[in-house]
Amino acid sequence: MAWDPYLNAGRALASICSHFEPQHRDSGLNTMDFLQRIVDCLGSPTFPWKGLMLGLSVGKFMFESFITLRQCRVLCKPKPPTVLSKAVTQETFANTQKYGLAKAHFTLASGLWYTAIQYLYLRHDILSKFWQVSGDLLLRWAPARCAGPLVQSGLFSIIYLFFNIAESMPPQLYYTFVLEQKFGFNKQSLGGFVSDQVKTFFISSAIFAVGAAGFSYIMDKAGDRFATYLGLGAFALRALVMTVYPVFILPLFYKLSPLQGKELRDHITGLATKLSFPLTKLYVADGSSRSTHSNAIFFGFPWQKNILIFDTLIQEMDSREVTAVVAHELGHWKLGHTAYLFALQQFDLIYSFGLFSLVHDNPHFYSTFGFGKGEQPAIAGFLLFCQVLSPLASAHKLVTNILSRRYEYQADAFAKTLGFKAELSTALVKLNKNNLSTIDADSIYSSYHHSHPLLAERLAELD
Ligand SMILES: [Zn+2]
């Protein structure tokens, strides 16, 4: 019989409902019993994991396509919102709409591409094949003392990453060399693009391999408390990556040099001193070598921080406007936004690890995806289980974006209290114009996708 994704998805949902329904009616049921019954239900050999995952994947694609189509309607409007009629010219607005529409069409097509790939992964048990290949490679090439589940988990994660990068190549090539090229943003050659991908692969492989081996080690040693230890391990790895990224990884992609302009340097160091920001170094990155999109970031240890400004920002704005953008960034630091968002992501990881305990030692879960008898690699199980959690990931994205938009308003208000209201307003208009950022948006699309408020909303709040 043909493997019908929709039928299987429907069966999965029906199965979940039929398993849960009696429990809800049982007034004497305590929480532990309820959880145990969930585990029993999930452990059933007939539980349709593949159908459930595919149903969720198709459901997510349909939901995201629906809101993108709503956004396409807004992107066809011929005139900007009245509040922006003075700040934005008709020409800029028309270009912004065209760019937004091209990106929306790209989102629809790439969404279909990734959903199709996910279908193939599930249909052909690709993760179990990656696991077998990693085992075979170790058996053939590695010394016997290196073989074992930890090394195999590391190698498995590298193979998984390699295919992930390879699958993203067609959409990425189109995005960079057709879409971004058409609107004048791309400044990268094909050679530079390939070189970036190779570097990304090697750096990510190192992080993935360490993460996967650590994951397997904790799963093996920590017993029932694995979620807590995984949370601690993830915290340590994320903190390490955040620390080394700007120092060792960013310079592999961008040329960093000390900021030269004396006036701008004086403005920014003066601002840092005023706010007790522990500024150590002030860099300029040659962002223009890749793209004309502009940005400014800060990074480093809590006691020793650096500010990095993309040269595109300096080329587009005067020194007071660049300082206003930096004042906004320092607002994020002073108000602790980075730490709050980090904590929210950490929370997301911890509950994912906690929920993984529902299936981590369930042999049927693994056998459904083609793993042999007694073969239960935790890292592969977790990657598969993350697909079941995709609705929670979407909810997490929504919450993060709501929070992030609120933080943007707060950072704008912070820059305003420092006397940069006018400069920040003109800087935001220039940034919007030069990046062709969306000017108008559908409310549902904006709530779900946008980490920053729209230009009109920010300008109105600054007034
Ligand atoms: Zn911001």
Side-chain angles (χ1 to χ4, degrees):
M1 197 180 83
W3 198 66
D4 181 339
Y6 297 99
L7 188 65
N8 279 324
R11 278 186 190 145
L13 291 172
S15 165
I16 291 170
C17 294
S18 68
H19 277 288
F20 286 157
E21 207 175 2
Q23 279 86 46
H24 285 304
R25 291 202 208 106
D26 185 349
S27 55
L29 195 71
N30 65 37
T31 312
M32 288 311 289
D33 284 345
F34 181 64
L35 286 175
Q36 188 52 50
R37 288 188 192 182
I38 293 178
V39 175
D40 292 346
C41 155
L42 298 177
S44 156
T46 55
F47 191 87
W49 285 107
K50 281 187 176 176
L52 174 64
M53 285 185 193
L54 208 73
L56 292 172
S57 168
V58 171
K60 182 172 181 248
F61 170 66
M62 285 170 72
F63 167 70
E64 292 188 347
S65 298
F66 167 69
I67 60 172
T68 304
L69 288 171
R70 282 177 61 107
Q71 174 66 357
C72 285
R73 244 182 13 201
V74 176
L75 291 168
C76 289
K77 283 186 187 172
K79 289 203 180 319
T82 335
V83 280
L84 285 180
S85 52
K86 284 200 182 105
V88 177
T89 65
Q90 181 57 36
E91 190 194 356
T92 303
F93 179 72
N95 281 337
T96 303
Q97 293 288 83
K98 270 192 223 159
Y99 182 54
L101 207 53
K103 283 204 297 185
H105 292 157
F106 172 79
T107 304
L108 289 171
S110 58
L112 187 61
W113 170 260
Y114 288 116
T115 307
I117 286 179
Q118 201 167 5
Y119 169 78
L120 291 175
Y121 265 66
L122 292 175
R123 181 80 179 88
H124 298 289
D125 298 328
I126 299 293
L127 289 201
S128 69
K129 292 188 169 66
F130 286 169
W131 184 254
Q132 280 165 20
V133 169
S134 58
D136 291 347
L137 285 173
L138 285 177
L139 212 58
R140 183 173 297 186
W141 300 106
R145 67 175 186 283
C146 291
L150 295 196
V151 180
Q152 191 173 350
S153 295
L155 186 57
F156 163 84
S157 70
I158 292 173
I159 296 171
Y160 176 77
L161 181 71
F162 175 81
F163 278 91
N164 258 250
I165 291 180
E167 289 144 19
S168 71
M169 271 307 105
Q172 275 206 57
L173 282 166
Y174 178 86
Y175 187 81
T176 309
F177 294 103
V178 179
L179 202 157
E180 291 281 283
Q181 188 83 30
K182 184 178 167 192
F183 289 89
F185 288 124
N186 178 44
K187 296 293 165 211
Q188 209 172 13
S189 66
L190 187 60
F193 176 87
V194 172
S195 151
D196 274 5
Q197 296 302 320
V198 172
K199 283 186 234 171
T200 303
F201 170 69
F202 281 108
I203 294 162
S204 309
S205 289
I207 298 167
F208 260 59
V210 170
F215 187 94
S216 302
Y217 180 79
I218 292 172
M219 289 298 295
D220 189 39
K221 302 283 179 201
D224 288 345
R225 305 186 67 186
F226 72 83
T228 310
Y229 288 102
L230 283 178
L232 290 171
F235 175 84
L237 187 63
R238 291 179 66 216
L240 178 72
V241 170
M242 276 180 74
T243 310
V244 302
Y245 177 80
V247 184
F248 297 106
I249 301 175
L250 203 63
L252 296 175
F253 293 90
Y254 293 102
K255 189 166 160 268
L256 308 188
S257 43
L259 177 66
Q260 293 301 335
K262 186 179 178 316
E263 189 191 351
L264 180 56
R265 222 175 46 225
D266 289 349
H267 278 319
I268 294 175
T269 47
L271 185 65
T273 311
K274 187 174 168 183
L275 297 174
S276 309
F277 180 78
L279 178 62
T280 315
K281 286 194 176 121
L282 200 46
Y283 293 109
V284 178
D286 64 336
S288 57
S289 64
R290 280 168 174 72
S291 155
T292 57
H293 288 298
S294 35
N295 208 350
I297 55 170
F298 64 85
F299 58 87
F301 299 104
W303 57 93
Q304 192 187 53
K305 295 227 171 267
N306 307 305
I307 293 176
L308 186 148
I309 303 168
F310 279 62
D311 56 357
T312 35
L313 202 67
I314 298 170
Q315 290 156 12
E316 289 158 7
M317 296 177 190
D318 67 34
S319 63
R320 283 280 298 171
E321 287 169 335
V322 176
T323 314
V325 173
V326 172
H328 167 99
E329 291 304 321
L330 295 190
H332 284 310
W333 164 77
K334 193 81 176 171
L335 300 169
H337 295 161
T338 324
Y340 290 134
L341 288 175
F342 184 92
L344 188 66
Q345 284 161 355
Q346 188 61 26
F347 172 72
D348 180 42
L349 279 170
I350 289 173
Y351 78 62
S352 302
F353 294 145
L355 289 173
F356 184 49
S357 62
L358 293 171
V359 299
H360 80 285
D361 58 355
N362 171 356
H364 301 300
F365 177 73
Y366 291 89
S367 63
T368 305
F369 298 101
F371 289 96
K373 204 164 184 282
E375 208 175 39
Q376 297 181 17
I379 185 66
F382 184 67
L383 288 174
L384 286 164
F385 188 66
C386 282
Q387 293 178 35
V388 181
L389 298 183
S390 67
L392 286 177
S394 294
H396 176 83
K397 177 179 171 172
L398 180 71
V399 172
T400 306
N401 280 338
I402 290 171
L403 208 57
S404 168
R405 288 196 299 272
R406 183 188 290 183
Y407 289 165
E408 289 307 313
Y409 285 129
Q410 289 177 1
D412 284 350
F414 184 83
K416 184 180 169 182
T417 58
L418 292 170
F420 290 103
K421 180 186 159 192
E423 293 83 355
L424 187 61
S425 298
T426 53
L428 288 175
V429 172
K430 283 185 184 176
L431 274 172
N432 202 94
K433 182 184 171 204
N434 296 333
N435 290 324
L436 291 181
S437 307
T438 306
I439 284 178
D440 205 356
D442 170 72
S443 57
I444 301 177
Y445 181 88
S446 187
S447 303
Y448 184 70
H449 280 299
H450 285 170
S451 60
H452 287 58
L454 296 171
L455 176 64
E457 294 168 339
R458 290 178 80 172
L459 293 181
E461 198 70 19
L462 266 174
D463 248 347

